[in-house]
Amino acid sequence: MCCAWSTPRSASTPKLFGRRSLLEQFDPGQAADRSVLAAFKEELTCPWALYHVRRILPVSKADPTRRGRALRSVERVDVGRAAALGLRLRAVSERHGVPVEVDERYGRVRAWMRRRGPERPTVEELLVTAPFHVRSKQVPHFEREWAADCGSRS
C-alpha cells in the first residue's frame, strides 16, 4: 500500500484506472461498494509508519526517448499513530523549508526532499506517512546508482 500512497499523482504519473484512482471506482451510494469503503476506512486505523522513499527514473536502454523501469528504495523510519507521525513530519519539514503535501481525507503526509525533474534520468526523494504494511526494501545496486545519479546533479 505504501507505494500507491507515496507515488505522486501528476500528469506524468497515470492512475491505475485512467483518470481515476482505485478508491474513486467505488460509489458510497452503492450498497456493494460501501463494504469495500468501510474496510478501507478500517484499514486506516492500523498502525502507521514514516517511510523514506527514493526513486531513480532512468532512461530506457531500449528506447532513449522513454523512461526506463524505476529503481526504488523504501525504508521504514518510524512507527506510530497516523496523526502523530503526520504532525511531526509537518513540523520538522516546515522548520527546514521542505515542501509538504497533506491529504486531509486520509491523513497521509508527504515531505519532498527532491522532486523528480522533467528530464530523464531523474531522481525523487520524499518522506511519507502511510499504513504500516510495507517492509523496508531496496534493489541490491540501488545505493551505487543513487550516488551516481545524485552526483551527476550536484
Side-chain angles (χ1 to χ4, degrees):
M1 187 174 237
C2 176
C3 290
W5 279 60
S6 64
T7 301
R9 296 291 175 214
S10 67
S12 63
T13 308
K15 293 190 177 187
L16 291 175
F17 299 92
R19 296 184 185 273
R20 294 173 41 176
S21 71
L22 175 61
L23 274 179
E24 292 167 332
Q25 300 299 310
F26 297 97
D27 178 359
Q30 299 293 319
D33 290 355
R34 282 195 292 273
S35 63
V36 173
L37 292 169
F40 179 76
K41 188 173 181 180
E42 177 64 27
E43 188 70 19
L44 297 180
T45 65
C46 72
W48 277 46
L50 174 65
Y51 297 96
H52 180 209
V53 178
R54 296 179 292 163
R55 293 186 192 94
I56 302 169
L57 304 159
V59 173
S60 169
K61 292 177 183 170
D63 180 356
T65 64
R66 297 178 53 104
R67 189 180 87 185
R69 184 175 182 163
L71 301 173
R72 294 177 181 86
S73 171
V74 178
E75 177 187 5
R76 189 184 302 147
V77 177
D78 199 2
V79 177
R81 307 285 302 150
L85 289 170
L87 284 173
R88 195 168 79 221
L89 180 55
R90 288 167 82 169
V92 170
S93 298
E94 288 168 9
R95 224 176 17 250
H96 293 281
V98 174
V100 175
E101 293 175 2
V102 180
D103 180 341
E104 299 293 346
R105 185 173 182 190
Y106 299 114
R108 184 210 14 88
V109 178
R110 282 190 193 126
W112 290 95
M113 290 139 48
R114 296 175 200 232
R115 287 192 183 266
R116 67 174 69 175
E119 305 296 320
R120 300 290 181 257
T122 189
V123 298
E124 65 183 10
E125 181 176 17
L126 65 144
L127 290 167
V128 62
T129 61
F132 176 76
H133 306 296
V134 177
R135 292 185 192 143
S136 295
K137 56 189 167 192
Q138 182 181 91
V139 294
H141 58 286
F142 183 87
E143 292 300 337
R144 181 182 67 233
E145 297 290 335
W146 182 261
D149 279 327
C150 289
S152 68
R153 285 166 184 59
S154 301

